[in-house]
Amino acid sequence: RVRIEKPSFHVLFNPHTMEGRLVVDGILCSTYTSLVHPKLAHILLLPERLAYVFKVSLLGRMLDGATPKLVATLMNMLSYIQRSI
């Protein structure tokens, strides 16, 4: 007998690549969310991409697991600004 349960938690997972895209099952996909315009997201992630070149991370594991309140607030603010433009 198999028991299937719905998880009681939410996890944010969004891989980032140097180019902002990846291929999944033969389909080219964007690595950016719909909350922030892709060009803006690419600019905002520039410091992290540059750090990657030197084998370090500015964000580290900060974004693992549930969305931190600061990140959620910033995402909401960016979303509001984007809708206002």
Side-chain angles (χ1 to χ4, degrees), residues 39-57:
K39 288 182 182 181
L40 177 59
H42 198 72
I43 291 167
L44 292 173
L45 287 168
L46 176 63
E48 185 66 20
R49 288 194 314 277
L50 291 174
Y52 176 80
V53 171
F54 296 102
K55 311 242 185 280
V56 296
S57 175

Side-chain angles (χ1 to χ4, degrees), residues 34-80:
S34 60
L35 293 175
V36 179
H37 190 279
K39 288 182 182 181
L40 177 59
H42 198 72
I43 291 167
L44 292 173
L45 287 168
L46 176 63
E48 185 66 20
R49 288 194 314 277
L50 291 174
Y52 176 80
V53 171
F54 296 102
K55 311 242 185 280
V56 296
S57 175
L58 301 176
L59 298 175
R61 299 184 62 84
M62 181 184 85
L63 298 179
D64 286 356
T67 307
K69 285 187 178 185
L70 175 62
V71 174
T73 301
L74 291 173
M75 287 172 36
N76 288 335
M77 289 172 53
L78 286 171
S79 179
Y80 175 77

Side-chain angles (χ1 to χ4, degrees), residues 10-28:
H10 299 280
V11 176
L12 172 68
F13 180 75
N14 191 7
H16 296 290
T17 64
M18 295 296 278
E19 300 84 19
R21 58 188 183 271
L22 53 86
V23 177
V24 178
D25 292 333
I27 299 171
L28 182 63

